[in-house]
Amino acid sequence: MSANVWRKLIPVVVPLLLASAPAAAETHFAAARDDMIRTIEAIARGVSGQSGAIDAAVLAAMREVPRHELVPADVRDRAYVDSPLSIGFGQTISQPYIVALMTSLAKPGSDYVVLEVGTGSGYQAAVLSRLVAQVYSIEIVEPLASRAAERLKALGYDNVTVRHGDGYQGWPEHAPFDAIVVTAAADHIPAPLVEQLKPGGRMVIPVGASSLAQNLMLVEKDRDGSHTRRTVLPVRFVPLVGGNR
Ligand SMILES: C[S@@+](CC[C@H](N)C(=O)[O-])C[C@H]1O[C@@H](n2cnc3c(N)ncnc32)[C@H](O)[C@@H]1O
């Protein structure tokens, strides 16, 4: 082809190539997301009994949420791998299977108001937001709280409110909550969170004094205000920090 023909084609071809690149990336991420869902289903099948079961609505929500838009750019290409990833400040976004499990254990209902402690990247909050009416999420590391709030807003997750603070204390202004999901490990079950749970409500929380000895626990508040707790499975989370214990 002559140089003249190329010169005429460039203004047509280059914009077309530039326009198709984001579409190709989205197709790639959608396929990776489908693989992630298949991996979660396979893990759930391998966990004995009902303790590892994942709700179909939770998987449908996770199939929608663009995890790659919430993680930092340096780990974007690994966004759909079934493992925790660094999000900076010594913190992590949790393994997708564990997000699916915790969300399923919370038994989200469409009219629920849910508290999340440990916003991190905002991914768990985004998944919850597809399943409930309102999510309140607290993050103790200010830059993570700001970044997650900004990303969630940009992606249109309008029923998520993020604030910077110590989630150990819960969020009394919006209590009581139908469910509470704590995504950092406490060495005991925080009394303020149990108090802020509705009768009939459920809290999912990793508990353990060291990172090598943590269990995911399900706390259920009875109608009479008492609560029961059950161990689900061993996990490894970053610690719940903060004061006023
Ligand atoms: C495993 S990461 C959470 C992952 C997050 N849910 C996500 O989807 O990316 C735990 C988060 O809990 C936060 N954290 C630890 N202690 C906290 C506290 N007392 N209050 C609020 N956030 C806390 C950490 O800073 C960290 O971002």
Side-chain angles (χ1 to χ4, degrees), residues 39-216:
T39 301
I40 294 170
E41 289 171 328
I43 296 172
R45 279 194 295 275
V47 177
S48 63
Q50 273 305 296
S51 59
I54 306 297
D55 193 80
V58 171
L59 287 179
M62 290 178 73
R63 209 184 284 277
E64 269 184 36
V65 175
R67 189 170 157 98
H68 64 283
E69 299 278 9
L70 290 158
V71 298
D74 62 333
V75 294
R76 212 168 180 223
D77 60 341
R78 303 188 58 229
Y80 296 100
V81 172
D82 192 57
S83 75
L85 297 170
S86 169
I87 54 170
F89 305 92
Q91 304 304 326
T92 54
I93 178 174
S94 306
Q95 175 192 356
Y97 171 72
I98 294 295
V99 174
L101 179 61
M102 293 178 80
T103 313
S104 298
L105 287 167
K107 280 206 190 322
S110 58
D111 57 345
Y112 273 23
V113 176
V114 176
L115 174 69
E116 181 197 20
V117 175
T119 317
S121 66
Y123 178 69
Q124 171 75 79
V127 171
L128 281 166
S129 83
R130 299 299 82 195
L131 298 159
V132 306
Q134 180 66 43
V135 180
Y136 292 99
S137 184
I138 308 178
E139 170 56 53
I140 205 162
V141 177
E142 200 283 327
L144 287 178
S146 312
R147 183 185 183 279
E150 180 258 308
R151 295 301 302 140
L152 288 164
K153 185 164 186 264
L155 291 167
Y157 293 100
D158 296 332
N159 62 341
V160 182
T161 307
V162 177
R163 89 166 162 84
H164 168 227
D166 181 359
Y168 182 92
Q169 307 299 341
W171 198 330
E173 296 82 352
H174 297 295
F177 299 101
D178 297 285
I180 298 178
V181 176
V182 183
T183 65
D187 58 8
H188 61 275
I189 293 173
L193 297 183
V194 178
E195 270 162 33
Q196 291 173 36
L197 205 51
K198 265 188 196 168
R202 296 157 77 89
M203 171 161 60
V204 187
I205 177 169
V207 181
S210 98
S211 65
L212 298 176
Q214 295 173 3
N215 283 305
L216 191 62

